[in-house]
Amino acid sequence: LVIRAFLGPFAATFFITLLVLVMQFFWLYIDDFVGKGLGPGVIAEFILYQSAVLVPLALPLSVLLSSLMTFGNLGESFELVAIKSAGISPLRFMRPLFWIALAICGIAFLFSKYIIPVANLKSRTLLADIIYAKPAFDLKEGVFYDKINGYAIKVGKKESESLLS
């Protein structure tokens, strides 16, 4: 009963917190993505890699929120009262969630050890490729541009985009 009541909210809160964290990341780098002419495949690949990197942040939040929702729903429907009146201790009916949380910890450890380093490397490489894809979009008038190794360029005036193509 407790496990079935936990799994639904856990899946929902995990994907919602992951979505919020990915959107927060995009908010930081939106100026680097706009106007680059990126295809949907590149953006989907970047979201996939960045989602894998953000899993360790989303897991604890989703476990906390889903366990609060689970026991809140069980208490609201008086199932906790029925369990306690049947003589079952709170530690005994919380034990399945303890084992689920322990399994989630093991999976998170393996995920952090084997998948996140690869996803982080690919995500950062793809982000660098996106940022440096068309550096003319990153140039601003009257500001020094130092993203070329060994050079610092001050742009006086940019020509229109049609002349650059």
Side-chain angles (χ1 to χ4, degrees):
L1 173 72
V2 176
I3 292 174
R4 272 188 289 141
F6 176 77
L7 291 179
F10 174 72
T13 56
F14 176 73
F15 287 115
I16 289 171
T17 55
L18 194 62
L19 176 73
V20 168
L21 290 170
V22 168
M23 288 299 121
Q24 178 194 14
F25 182 80
F26 270 122
W27 187 255
L28 293 173
Y29 290 103
I30 192 71
D31 56 336
D32 294 327
F33 291 154
V34 174
K36 298 281 182 157
L38 300 173
V42 174
I43 294 173
E45 181 182 6
F46 186 73
I47 289 173
L48 178 73
Y49 293 144
Q50 198 58 38
S51 298
V53 171
L54 293 173
V55 164
L57 296 175
L59 264 178
L61 289 170
S62 61
V63 168
L64 175 68
L65 289 174
S66 60
S67 61
L68 286 173
M69 290 170 60
T70 298
F71 287 112
N73 288 338
L74 290 175
E76 187 176 322
S77 62
F78 297 108
E79 291 178 8
L80 287 179
V81 175
I83 290 172
K84 287 179 76 177
S85 67
I88 300 172
S89 71
L91 291 176
R92 186 170 172 209
F93 69 81
M94 288 179 162
R95 193 175 300 144
L97 281 186
F98 174 74
W99 292 113
I100 294 291
L102 202 60
I104 289 173
C105 287
I107 291 169
F109 173 74
L110 293 174
F111 193 82
S112 294
K113 187 174 181 178
Y114 295 110
I115 295 175
I116 290 177
V118 174
N120 196 13
L121 175 68
K122 290 186 178 187
S123 171
R124 295 297 170 188
T125 304
L126 190 60
L127 180 64
D129 289 345
I130 289 171
I131 289 173
Y132 297 120
K134 294 182 182 177
F137 285 109
D138 202 19
L139 297 174
K140 295 177 179 69
E141 292 183 4
V143 177
F144 282 98
Y145 180 79
D146 59 352
K147 293 187 179 175
I148 300 172
N149 291 334
Y151 296 96
I153 301 170
K154 182 178 180 192
V155 178
K157 182 179 178 200
K158 281 177 61 174
E159 296 291 327
S160 67
E161 188 61 35
S162 63
L163 295 176
L164 292 175
S165 302

